[in-house]
Amino acid sequence: MANWGTIKQDILETIDKPNDGSIVERSLCETLRFLRTMRFWWNESTFKVYTVADKGEYDLPQDFLGFIGKVFHKEITVSDGVTTEGAKRELVPRTMDWLEAYRYTNEEWDASLASGRPLFYSLAEDKVWLSPIPDSDGDEVSARYLRDLGTPQEVYSGGSWFVYAPNTETAIATTFSHAWFKEGYDILKHRCCYNLYQDIYKDQENAQAHLQKFLEAMDRVRSETSRRKAARELRAIW
């Protein structure tokens, strides 16, 4: 699999402009931030937690960027060793202010509505908050979500630029890699080259050439993403 070092060297050789590599590294950071909210087969996953009675908040995955589509709640009951699953019901997104006002009002005027089957959810403090607060154990809350596979960060300190590995203050290793460096290599490379030619070297001809290559690579992976999604949905039906 390609990694930080190989794509950096590839871009340096492609642009063939004098620099010490730090400009390329900073542009890679910027490009990954730009791309990470785009949905492809390699950066989606499934979120699933099971309720605990009288507990309203549940941790989100460390790589969580946002939910894709709807969030569902499903009642699961066990009786005499037999598990029964109810229908999935969509939870309605609300703000935390709304949830807090809803809970306060219910506790003030009708305590029976403060807990029960969840109807709403909100996101705050790296958690998903449910309301009403679940009154039973083992119900399922699930959704598809967008993953942050790891975004390095550029930092200016002491007159120099440094690039740190994701969520650390440790210099990024040349071996750093994830799916963007394999499945999304052409997208990452050509978008980075476009940024460099457009913003640093002011070379419109080469900027437009790499922008076109970037768009062509995007079309390819979007088509493949749609194909895989259709296959997954077909398997679910059968």
Side-chain angles (χ1 to χ4, degrees):
M1 181 187 291
N3 55 39
W4 184 263
T6 55
I7 196 170
K8 174 184 172 182
Q9 186 60 35
D10 189 3
I11 292 170
L12 281 169
E13 293 174 0
T14 298
I15 61 175
D16 193 23
K17 299 283 187 179
N19 71 73
D20 61 1
S22 65
I23 295 175
V24 172
E25 289 194 328
R26 284 149 49 197
S27 184
L28 277 169
C29 292
E30 178 186 351
T31 303
L32 281 167
R33 283 195 299 272
F34 172 77
L35 293 173
R36 67 178 182 172
T37 57
M38 298 183 181
R39 292 174 52 190
F40 301 109
W41 74 85
W42 63 81
N43 65 341
E44 293 185 16
S45 190
T46 300
F47 167 80
K48 187 179 292 185
V49 295
Y50 294 93
T51 61
V52 176
D54 301 321
K55 179 180 178 182
E57 72 278 359
Y58 300 84
D59 290 335
L60 292 167
Q62 289 187 341
D63 60 359
F64 180 87
L65 277 178
F67 284 130
I68 300 170
K70 299 175 180 179
V71 178
F72 295 97
H73 171 267
K74 180 171 66 176
E75 290 183 320
I76 300 176
T77 59
V78 180
S79 178
D80 297 327
V82 178
T83 300
T84 304
E85 297 187 2
K88 282 188 174 182
R89 299 177 184 271
E90 179 185 351
L91 298 179
V92 180
R94 299 294 190 191
T95 65
M96 278 302 297
D97 287 344
W98 190 95
L99 247 60
E100 290 171 358
Y102 177 85
R103 288 174 177 174
Y104 174 80
T105 299
N106 287 337
E107 290 171 0
E108 185 75 10
W109 298 105
D110 189 348
S112 66
L113 295 179
S115 65
R117 180 174 67 83
L119 303 172
F120 313 101
Y121 78 90
S122 187
L123 301 177
E125 302 172 358
D126 297 323
K127 298 178 185 293
V128 58
W129 299 73
L130 305 179
S131 187
I133 295 172
D135 61 354
S136 62
D137 295 329
D139 288 355
E140 179 185 287
V141 176
S142 63
R144 299 285 297 169
Y145 77 94
L146 191 65
R147 300 171 60 207
D148 180 3
L149 301 182
T151 306
Q153 182 178 3
E154 68 273 39
V155 176
Y156 187 75
S157 177
S160 300
W161 284 96
F162 301 90
V163 175
Y164 293 150
N167 305 313
T168 73
E169 293 185 1
T170 302
I172 192 166
T174 58
T175 54
F176 174 78
S177 187
H178 49 53
W180 275 108
F181 296 87
K182 178 183 178 182
E183 312 291 359
Y185 186 92
D186 287 343
I187 295 174
L188 182 56
K189 173 188 172 179
H190 292 300
R191 183 71 196 192
C192 186
C193 288
Y194 165 75
N195 289 343
L196 289 167
Y197 280 122
Q198 179 77 10
D199 300 332
I200 303 299
Y201 300 113
K202 310 301 181 184
D203 182 339
Q204 285 297 311
E205 182 178 353
N206 276 310
Q208 291 304 309
H210 282 283
L211 179 60
Q212 183 61 37
K213 291 178 180 179
F214 164 74
L215 294 173
E216 290 170 357
M218 287 285 286
D219 286 342
R220 289 195 298 271
V221 296
R222 281 173 172 158
S223 295
E224 178 63 13
T225 297
S226 296
R227 186 193 69 79
R228 292 183 182 223
K229 180 180 179 182
R232 184 173 66 241
E233 291 174 348
L234 185 60
R235 287 197 298 270
I237 292 172
W238 290 101

